[in-house]
Amino acid sequence: MIQRTIDRYADRMANIDNYAVTQTMSMMNMSLTTYYERDPDGGPLAYTATTYVNGQPNMGDGGDMDDPYAVLACMKEQATYAGTETIDGEDTIDVRIDDMGACAEEMGMSGQPGMDDGELESGTMYIDRDDYVLRRMVMDGTLNADGRSAEFSTTMTMSDYRTTDGLLHPWLTEMVMTGMDAMMGGEDGGDLQSQSAEMRAQMEEIPESMRSMIEDQIKMLEDSMQGDGMTVTMTVTDVTVNQGPPTE
């Protein structure tokens, strides 16, 4: 199944030298554009990704490697069949990855905040049985900080796939993170409670244009305190293909 997914991805991306995806995030009052440009020195279909914030390049972003081909090739070596499921009305083949940490470097997660003090362990990919795209991915692991350890889980659900000039991309992604509250809020969640209360107390002093973003951040903290996890929704607003960087 993963090999067929790799082959379909390679076919779709064969004539795409660069593309840009603009999206908004539920917790941020800004527009983010990620520009992907084919990297001839990378893998078979590697792209260098650069982030633009409100139309301007992120000064701290030197261009990260984005190579789904390499990620899938690595996971193929760890994969076992885990059954089938229906997600948002779409039939999927479920693939279990027993050692997802072995692919952390290919996934761009090696050296990321939190990963140096934790371990990415296992996960499951839910691959559309007709279109061979990822409908959902679950990643589980352990975080360690201040002498404490906690299990975490991240679930990413991709939907509303659309084709733009040959590029098939999800226009809606929901990411739910559970277990982070145990590390952020202390043993009794007091840190999160104080953060939420402080943010609410400052709402009157915050410019009206930013209140929606702050309210989203407060909701994330309060959901986390209730054990529902933190939810971030990313909504695509525009996709361009083979048109060069956003500033051109």
Side-chain angles (χ1 to χ4, degrees), residues 2 75 78-82 93-103 107 109 119-127 134 136-142 152-156:
I2 291 185
M75 289 186 177
Q78 314 289 332
T80 56
Y81 173 74
I93 301 294
D94 308 345
V95 179
R96 175 75 176 177
I97 311 298
D98 290 326
D99 185 10
M100 190 166 276
C103 303
M107 295 171 67
M109 299 186 71
E119 182 178 357
L120 189 61
E121 296 169 354
S122 60
T124 304
M125 296 191 300
Y126 301 82
I127 302 172
L134 197 60
R136 178 172 293 162
M137 175 179 281
V138 178
M139 297 179 288
D140 302 315
T142 303
F152 74 89
S153 180
T154 299
T155 299
M156 296 181 62

Side-chain angles (χ1 to χ4, degrees), residues 4 6 11 43 58 65 86 90 95 119 137 152 156 161 167 214 223 225 237 247:
R4 275 177 281 179
I6 292 173
D11 289 343
N58 184 355
M65 185 68 71
T86 300
E90 305 292 343
V95 179
E119 182 178 357
M137 175 179 281
F152 74 89
M156 296 181 62
Y161 273 88
L167 176 70
I214 301 301
D223 286 346
M225 285 187 291
T237 59
T247 53

Side-chain angles (χ1 to χ4, degrees), residues 33-160:
T33 298
T34 305
Y35 173 66
Y36 302 86
E37 186 170 47
R38 184 71 66 88
D39 188 337
D41 297 325
L45 287 171
Y47 292 79
T48 298
T50 303
T51 302
Y52 291 71
V53 180
N54 291 332
Q56 298 298 319
N58 184 355
M59 298 304 293
D61 189 346
D64 297 320
M65 185 68 71
D66 181 84
D67 193 354
Y69 189 99
V71 173
L72 290 171
C74 178
M75 289 186 177
K76 177 184 173 183
E77 303 302 317
Q78 314 289 332
T80 56
Y81 173 74
T84 62
E85 192 163 332
T86 300
I87 297 175
D88 295 331
E90 305 292 343
D91 293 332
T92 67
I93 301 294
D94 308 345
V95 179
R96 175 75 176 177
I97 311 298
D98 290 326
D99 185 10
M100 190 166 276
C103 303
E105 183 173 351
E106 286 80 2
M107 295 171 67
M109 299 186 71
S110 178
Q112 291 295 313
M115 287 296 102
D116 289 340
D117 297 318
E119 182 178 357
L120 189 61
E121 296 169 354
S122 60
T124 304
M125 296 191 300
Y126 301 82
I127 302 172
D128 191 299
R129 67 187 309 160
D130 295 321
D131 295 331
Y132 296 94
V133 295
L134 197 60
R135 292 287 174 182
R136 178 172 293 162
M137 175 179 281
V138 178
M139 297 179 288
D140 302 315
T142 303
L143 289 175
N144 304 292
D146 299 326
R148 292 181 289 120
S149 178
E151 295 181 353
F152 74 89
S153 180
T154 299
T155 299
M156 296 181 62
T157 301
M158 285 68 75
S159 61
D160 192 16

